[in-house]
Amino acid sequence: MAAPGENLRINGERLWDALMEMAKIGPGVAGGNNRQTVTDEDGEGRALFQKWCEAAGLTMGLDTMGNMFARREGTDPDALPVYVGSHLDTQPTGGKYDGVLGVLGGLEIIRTLNDLDIKTRHPIVVTNWTNEEGTRYAPAMLASGVFAGVHEQDWAYAREDADGKAFGDELERIGWKGDEEVGARKMHAFFELHIEQGPILEAEGKDIGVVTHGQGLSWTQVTITGKESHTGSTPMPMRKNAGLGMAKVLGLVDEIAWWHKPDAVGAAGHIEVYPNSRNVIPGKAVFTVDFRSPKLEVIQDMEARLRKGAQAICDEMGLGIEFEKVGGFDPVEFDAGCVTAVRNAAERLGYSHRNIISGAGHDACWINRVAPTAMVMCPCVDGLSHNEAEEISREWATAGAEVLLHAVVETAEVVG
Ligand code: HGY
Ligand code: MN
Ligand code: MN
């Protein structure tokens, strides 16, 4: 496949303007975003994306999980499309670039090809995957997981948020539940541009991360039960303190991750105690343990140590404990051909680059099961993400989108 010339560049200002425009929808309280999945704000963001896609001459497909597919025709209608995209939903205290850069970077590719009247043999489809974050509805990468055949759609529709609202009902309520069968689409390849969400690229002064692998993830929801009682009048020996049990287990989670250093991370970001009253000993604690590692055997060992150690803590304290696996995927190795297209693009464009393993999960990790897939990463300031202060530079956004452009166009085969 002929590679595009090194002077094929995107319009960095236009990409940056699009990012800032999208960031106005579902603003956070500290400069970031709170555009959680299947909320009204998510619906607004989708509508803006659709408007831009239609203005760029794309036709929009929508499947039964709300995944959006904006198609630019190729010269060969029978050729499988090259897909490019990420997610528009954000964390409750999310940044402006996590996911969004990958979707709007895909749109910028289309806008650039239109400007230059470049045709490709394969169609190109810009994609927005529903509920990548997994915050309001666990697990993360829910809709790309259904698309890849990992989750059943009915199970996904029944997932409930903290207020007991079902995912399928909310998707329908915001008007973004499509008719197209999820997973019916076949892909020639899939590329995802994403911020690193870690410190490596910035620390090493690299413009581009060539993502060869994605570390695996395990989410275990733990429920510890004790006995609610008065914080003042209940003698210490009589207490069944579920909150204290949780605190000890959280200390164990940290120990387990450090025990496997440097190949493991562990924490709990979701934590609830009941009744959460100042003068009541918690009778129940519910929290989700997030373990990750590039090595499957390390993830499995961490899960086993958690169950054994947490059970022993609760037995000792006279507390009940239940475990439920609520998310996870094995470590991922991306497609060598697509990864090479990304690396060659960075070389051709004169961007410094290094191979990198993705610390975060992405839709690409599931799509890698059904199509040749690779990711492009750009640095982010202080490696910070899942924080409203998440920041990137215009130069980094431009570099990432240009590498994405070259990898996608080379794979889609320029015609004429
Ligand atoms: O959890 C993750 O890694 C992703 O940000 N959803
Ligand atoms: Mn993301
Ligand atoms: Mn995220």
Side-chain angles (χ1 to χ4, degrees):
M1 288 176 269
E6 63 173 277
N7 56 3
L8 176 61
R9 305 284 171 156
I10 63 137
N11 181 330
E13 283 314 302
R14 179 170 57 192
L15 171 58
W16 194 260
D17 291 349
L19 287 165
M20 294 307 111
E21 196 62 29
M22 182 60 75
K24 291 174 186 168
I25 297 177
V29 295
N33 276 107
N34 179 7
R35 193 171 54 242
Q36 294 183 60
T37 193
V38 294
T39 58
D40 294 335
E41 294 77 12
D42 182 13
E44 275 179 62
R46 289 163 173 266
L48 179 59
F49 174 60
Q50 169 143 341
K51 188 179 87 174
W52 284 341
C53 288
E54 288 173 347
L58 304 181
T59 48
M60 186 64 77
L62 185 68
D63 73 15
T64 49
M65 283 297 292
N67 296 315
M68 299 173 75
F69 303 103
R71 178 184 170 108
R72 181 183 199 254
E73 289 308 329
T75 57
D76 176 355
D78 299 329
L80 288 181
V82 174
Y83 283 68
V84 57
S86 189
H87 62 93
L88 292 173
D89 67 304
T90 76
Q91 289 283 335
T93 54
K96 299 191 281 285
Y97 312 98
D98 172 359
V100 184
L101 177 63
V103 177
L104 300 186
L107 175 61
E108 176 51 36
I109 285 177
I110 302 298
R111 288 172 164 173
T112 295
L113 296 178
N114 289 347
D115 289 348
L116 302 173
D117 195 21
I118 291 176
K119 296 191 178 13
T120 56
R121 185 168 80 81
H122 294 263
I124 296 173
V125 177
V126 186
T127 306
N128 168 35
W129 297 107
T130 304
N131 188 28
E132 187 282 337
E133 291 294 357
T135 302
R136 185 181 175 197
Y137 294 99
M141 297 100 77
L142 181 64
S144 52
V146 175
F147 183 94
V150 173
H151 306 306
E152 290 299 322
Q153 179 164 282
D154 289 347
W155 176 81
Y157 276 174
R159 305 299 289 159
E160 291 189 358
D161 68 5
D163 299 325
K165 291 179 183 167
F167 170 81
D169 297 342
E170 283 292 279
L171 179 65
E172 191 142 28
R173 181 186 66 79
I174 67 166
W176 286 92
K177 180 177 171 184
D179 298 324
E180 196 184 291
E181 181 197 347
V182 60
R185 287 173 174 260
K186 301 303 170 210
M187 302 177 172
H188 181 56
F190 175 69
F191 290 92
E192 180 168 4
L193 166 62
H194 206 287
I195 61 172
E196 179 196 341
Q197 299 181 295
I200 297 169
L201 294 175
E202 183 187 42
E204 294 184 3
K206 294 286 190 289
D207 302 315
I208 295 293
V210 179
V211 188
T212 56
H213 299 76
Q215 70 174 348
L217 173 154
S218 159
W219 281 359
T220 302
Q221 180 166 298
V222 182
T223 302
I224 294 178
T225 45
K227 186 174 181 181
E228 293 172 19
S229 61
H230 199 296
T231 50
S233 54
T234 309
M236 290 304 280
M238 288 175 64
R239 296 181 176 206
K240 301 285 183 204
N241 187 339
L244 178 61
M246 174 178 70
K248 291 184 176 195
V249 172
L250 292 180
L252 172 67
V253 167
D254 196 56
E255 273 171 40
I256 291 169
W258 279 105
W259 195 90
H260 276 290
K261 76 177 189 315
D263 292 326
V265 290
H270 155 241
I271 294 176
E272 298 167 42
V273 288
Y274 299 90
N276 201 24
S277 165
R278 291 176 182 78
N279 44 11
V280 177
I281 302 277
K284 186 168 86 168
V286 183
F287 53 103
T288 304
V289 176
D290 180 325
F291 280 137
R292 309 206 190 189
S293 171
K295 295 176 181 168
L296 180 58
E297 66 276 12
V298 169
I299 293 174
Q300 290 167 338
D301 182 65
M302 291 199 282
E303 288 176 333
R305 285 172 185 264
L306 169 67
R307 286 175 183 256
K308 185 165 178 270
Q311 186 67 58
I313 288 168
C314 288
D315 290 349
E316 161 76 21
M317 296 177 68
L319 300 172
I321 187 166
E322 288 167 21
F323 303 91
E324 182 192 354
K325 187 80 180 283
V326 293
F329 58 87
D330 293 352
V332 166
E333 180 171 10
F334 290 115
D335 175 78
C338 292
V339 170
T340 301
V342 169
R343 187 176 299 110
N344 290 348
E347 282 289 335
R348 186 181 317 124
L349 290 159
Y351 289 123
S352 58
H353 58 88
R354 57 105 84 197
N355 290 351
I356 195 167
I357 295 174
S358 175
H362 302 286
D363 295 307
C365 297
W366 281 144
I367 303 307
N368 189 55
R369 290 181 173 223
V370 294
T373 296
M375 293 187 71
V376 184
M377 278 189 176
C378 76
C380 51
V381 175
D382 298 335
L384 187 64
S385 183
H386 286 194
N387 181 307
E388 291 206 44
E390 179 185 280
E391 199 49 76
I392 62 174
S393 72
R394 294 166 187 241
E395 293 71 25
W396 289 341
T398 299
E402 286 181 344
V403 169
L404 186 73
L405 168 66
H406 277 235
V408 165
V409 165
E410 179 177 349
T411 308
E413 297 172 31
V414 174
V415 173

